[in-house]
Amino acid sequence: MIYQDRPIGQKATKERLKCKQGKAKVGEATVTNLLQQFRDTLVEIEDQKKQDRKIMLEQQAMMIQQSQETQAMMIQQSQETQAMMIQQSQDRKIMLEQQAMMIQQSQETQELDRIEKEEQIMKMDISNLDPIFAAYFQNIKLEIMQKRGFNF
């Protein structure tokens, strides 16, 4: 039986249309899936970028902190070195002052010894000595008197 109302090939056209729509639906689903995957990938990339930025900022903060700690240590070492140098300088000053005092005491002691010997020579009785020794000690007595400001 042949239907006259319907043009020939109408069924075939409908079938082709259905196939195209099915493929389009499959294609739309595939495109939708691809778009969703693309969006998910973009979100992951953005999240990774944010995490990378966060890690980079944390590393920079750590480097700054380490730099500050290093500077603080260097300043502290410098201050300790300066304090040590000041202490050494003060120790040297004290030692030099002590040496100066010892030298002064030694000089005073030598001066006292010299004065004592001069007094012994001045008190010496040269009348009983040999004439050469007597002349020698007489010259020494004259020199002592001249040192003390007595001129003859």
Side-chain angles (χ1 to χ4, degrees):
M1 189 168 152
I2 300 177
Y3 294 99
Q4 297 282 334
D5 324 355
R6 190 172 71 159
I8 298 176
Q10 184 82 16
K11 188 174 183 181
T13 307
K14 281 186 177 180
E15 285 295 321
R16 275 187 285 180
L17 188 60
K18 281 184 182 179
C19 281
K20 283 183 182 179
Q21 287 177 351
K23 285 183 182 177
K25 286 181 183 175
V26 170
E28 285 177 17
T30 305
V31 170
T32 306
N33 287 340
L34 287 175
L35 284 174
Q36 185 60 39
Q37 287 176 353
F38 183 69
R39 285 185 193 125
D40 292 344
T41 304
L42 284 177
V43 169
E44 288 177 13
I45 290 172
E46 288 298 318
D47 289 344
Q48 186 65 38
K49 283 182 181 180
K50 286 179 185 177
Q51 191 172 4
D52 289 347
R53 281 188 211 128
K54 182 179 176 184
I55 290 171
M56 187 178 69
L57 290 174
E58 288 173 353
Q59 288 174 346
Q60 286 177 348
M62 261 182 24
M63 289 174 59
I64 290 170
Q65 183 180 4
Q66 287 175 348
S67 174
Q68 289 173 344
E69 289 173 357
T70 303
Q71 287 177 349
M73 280 181 28
M74 290 175 67
I75 289 170
Q76 183 180 5
Q77 288 175 348
S78 174
Q79 290 172 344
E80 289 173 357
T81 302
Q82 287 176 350
M84 198 167 66
M85 290 174 67
I86 289 170
Q87 183 63 39
Q88 288 175 349
S89 175
Q90 290 174 345
D91 291 346
R92 272 189 248 127
K93 181 179 176 183
I94 290 170
M95 188 174 73
L96 290 173
E97 288 174 353
Q98 289 174 345
Q99 287 177 348
M101 285 176 50
M102 289 174 61
I103 290 171
Q104 184 179 2
Q105 288 174 348
S106 173
Q107 288 173 346
E108 289 173 357
T109 304
Q110 288 175 355
E111 183 67 20
L112 289 174
D113 287 344
R114 185 185 61 77
I115 290 172
E116 187 177 308
K117 287 179 184 177
E118 286 177 356
E119 285 179 3
Q120 286 177 352
I121 291 172
M122 292 300 287
K123 291 179 185 178
M124 185 182 278
D125 183 21
I126 57 171
S127 59
N128 297 335
L129 293 177
D130 185 16
I132 295 174
F133 285 117
Y136 172 74
F137 282 111
Q138 186 63 35
N139 284 336
I140 291 176
K141 284 182 180 184
L142 286 173
E143 286 176 12
I144 292 171
M145 294 297 281
Q146 286 176 352
K147 282 183 197 174
R148 292 186 179 173
F150 297 104
N151 289 329
F152 296 100

